Amino acid sequence: MAYDKMNGDIREEQQKDPKEFLWQGLVGETRVKEPGQLAGNPFQIESCLNCTLVILDQTASITIDDCRDCLIICGPCKGSLFLRDCKNLLILAICQQFRTRDCRHLNAHLFCTTCPTIEETDLEVAPLLLNYCGLQSQMHAAGISPFSNRWNQVHNFTPDSGKCNVRQNLNPRITNSFNSHLIQKLEHFLFNSKNWQFSMGNKRESKLFVAGLGIKKGEGQNGEEEKFLLLIQPPPNENSSESGGGMRFYAESIGITKELINLEGIKLAAMHDIDMKQGEWENIICGKKENNNLKNIIGNKSRKIVALEIYGPKGSQTKIEEICQQKERKATNARLVDSEHMENCRKQLYRLCEIRQSI
């Protein structure tokens, strides 16, 4: 019940139909939830066959049970995306957690901020490059950073069951090697999705990033390429956690990263999104003499840091610095760590990330 101050009467609040948050028993259908229709609520998909099911909105969680021969596309999921008892699915998903149990013939193109976990599942996992209207704001609302992606760090809870098979496909483009029937479903959806400007597999258009693609073992250490460490931080007086601040920070950080990876020969080797707490950096470097010069590189205040490790041809530094120094940006400071301190700074930052992951 709600009280209307304008006319003094009491009116019933309109409650959404629970069926709006459920697709159940569908056969051969195409269903789409457009941006704004779910607005962060949980969603369920149950017992669907031969369908194209698309969620272009943020959700709290998604549960997919007993589905067969379906293409499923899921926008940012703040919590867990859980598949159970499914077979022959092609799934494109952005989520905090990806979990499966008792599934067969899954092909998942993922952007996942934590390690995907499987139980008794046959899975082919691949990176996801994706964009559509409203994706960036949905990711921000769901608390998903475009710079935190562990799609390939799959943890198998049942390695001895004999029912698990995990394969990695490093190609973000979906090819006909999987299932031509589901590929046709995806191609049909892409052809008819112009209203949402939906695209996938294209790094120039994607608002998601995948580190390590196209990098061979030992690359960046052979003397033919240079290695760079780029730090993106809010300006000293800017608080990225304030209303709108984080959104602006990520929008500019995405813009910087896209410009960098579109440079000829530039490769994104690794990326980290770190919420640095006051005093934490000083604790990490532990007052060691060799770390004294690192104090001013990061600073000792609470602030967000996006760290990008980049490989590029010799002579790339000037072009990278030009991108960093563009004056129209108001919510970010981007700068390269000097070569003398880069490796030590990288090690200490990654050490902090490892500590965070182990907690």
Side-chain angles (χ1 to χ4, degrees):
M1 304 286 284
Y3 185 77
D4 190 333
K5 293 182 179 179
M6 295 296 294
N7 55 29
D9 65 346
I10 295 177
R11 56 181 171 78
E12 291 282 347
E13 282 187 343
Q14 289 186 346
Q15 297 293 326
K16 286 195 174 183
D17 188 339
K19 292 180 181 178
E20 291 294 315
F21 307 103
L22 171 68
W23 285 328
Q24 185 178 45
L26 305 178
V27 179
E29 294 194 36
T30 296
R31 295 287 183 94
V32 179
K33 288 292 184 182
E34 298 189 24
Q37 289 188 322
L38 296 179
N41 283 287
F43 198 81
Q44 291 179 276
I45 303 174
E46 298 178 3
S47 304
C48 295
L49 175 66
N50 191 29
C51 292
T52 298
L53 306 172
V54 182
I55 300 173
L56 299 181
D57 201 5
Q58 56 149 326
T59 55
S61 62
I62 300 175
T63 304
I64 303 173
D65 287 321
D66 191 30
C67 291
R68 303 285 187 274
D69 302 307
C70 292
L71 164 66
I72 301 177
I73 301 175
C74 300
C77 177
K78 188 173 185 177
S80 173
L81 172 58
F82 195 7
L83 292 90
R84 299 177 293 200
D85 301 302
C86 294
K87 184 177 180 181
N88 200 27
L89 299 188
L90 173 56
I91 183 163
L92 285 57
I94 304 167
C95 55
Q96 295 273 15
Q97 296 179 328
F98 182 81
R99 303 167 57 199
T100 72
R101 189 178 70 203
D102 296 316
C103 294
R104 296 289 172 268
H105 306 304
L106 292 187
N107 183 295
H109 282 247
L110 295 180
F111 186 97
C112 189
T113 62
T114 59
C115 300
T117 60
I118 65 171
E119 298 178 58
E120 300 190 347
T121 292
D122 172 36
L123 171 69
E124 180 175 296
V125 62
L128 178 64
L129 296 177
L130 184 69
N131 193 24
Y132 60 82
C133 288
L135 174 59
Q136 187 174 320
S137 60
Q138 290 175 11
M139 289 185 66
H140 185 70
I144 296 177
S145 166
F147 301 101
S148 182
N149 188 7
R150 300 181 196 169
W151 68 273
N152 58 343
Q153 299 176 32
V154 179
H155 180 73
N156 182 0
F157 277 110
T158 53
D160 301 323
S161 68
K163 297 181 180 180
C164 278
N165 184 16
V166 181
R167 302 172 301 283
Q168 280 191 21
N169 177 3
L170 298 179
N171 187 358
R173 295 182 181 272
I174 297 177
T175 65
N176 286 321
S177 62
F178 173 59
N179 184 307
S180 59
H181 172 62
L182 296 179
I183 296 296
Q184 289 173 3
K185 283 184 176 294
L186 178 60
E187 290 174 346
H188 181 75
F189 173 75
L190 291 174
F191 182 79
N192 291 284
S193 63
K194 295 179 182 178
N195 288 345
W196 305 295
Q197 299 178 23
F198 190 97
S199 68
M200 68 155 297
N202 187 329
K203 77 171 186 176
R204 290 184 178 274
E205 297 179 5
S206 177
K207 291 294 176 68
L208 308 176
F209 301 109
V210 182
L213 292 185
I215 295 179
K216 299 176 182 178
K217 189 175 181 179
E219 198 165 342
Q221 302 173 357
N222 53 19
E224 297 177 2
E225 292 185 311
E226 291 185 280
K227 185 187 294 185
F228 304 96
L229 180 62
L230 178 71
L231 302 181
I232 307 175
Q233 299 171 284
N237 298 324
E238 178 85 11
N239 186 349
S240 63
S241 64
E242 291 177 354
S243 178
M247 187 69 180
R248 291 193 300 271
F249 174 80
Y250 278 118
E252 291 189 8
S253 299
I254 289 170
I256 292 168
T257 308
K258 286 175 70 69
E259 287 190 58
L260 287 171
I261 63 178
N262 286 333
L263 289 175
E264 184 68 29
I266 293 293
K267 297 175 183 178
L268 182 60
M271 58 184 182
H272 293 281
D273 187 332
I274 306 166
D275 283 309
M276 190 74 71
K277 297 178 175 59
Q278 186 164 353
E280 192 170 28
W281 182 241
E282 196 167 88
N283 291 335
I284 286 293
I285 60 179
C286 299
K288 295 180 180 178
K289 285 186 178 180
E290 62 268 28
N291 292 337
N292 284 342
N293 290 322
L294 299 183
K295 289 183 180 180
N296 294 329
I297 292 176
I298 301 295
N300 209 31
K301 295 182 179 180
S302 298
R303 63 194 321 194
K304 181 170 285 295
I305 299 171
V306 170
L308 305 177
E309 186 177 344
I310 302 165
Y311 297 165
K314 287 188 174 181
S316 301
Q317 182 167 340
T318 300
K319 292 182 178 179
I320 295 173
E321 288 178 340
E322 287 175 358
I323 291 174
C324 293
Q325 293 167 5
Q326 291 180 11
K327 294 181 179 180
E328 65 269 18
R329 298 193 183 99
K330 304 297 183 183
T332 52
N333 279 338
R335 60 196 177 101
L336 289 172
V337 177
D338 63 89
S339 57
E340 181 183 354
H341 303 112
M342 180 192 68
E343 189 59 28
N344 193 19
C345 184
R346 185 189 70 85
K347 287 180 180 179
Q348 301 304 328
L349 281 173
Y350 289 9
R351 179 167 164 253
L352 172 60
C353 293
E354 289 174 0
I355 292 172
R356 291 273 184 87
Q357 291 174 22
S358 65
I359 295 176

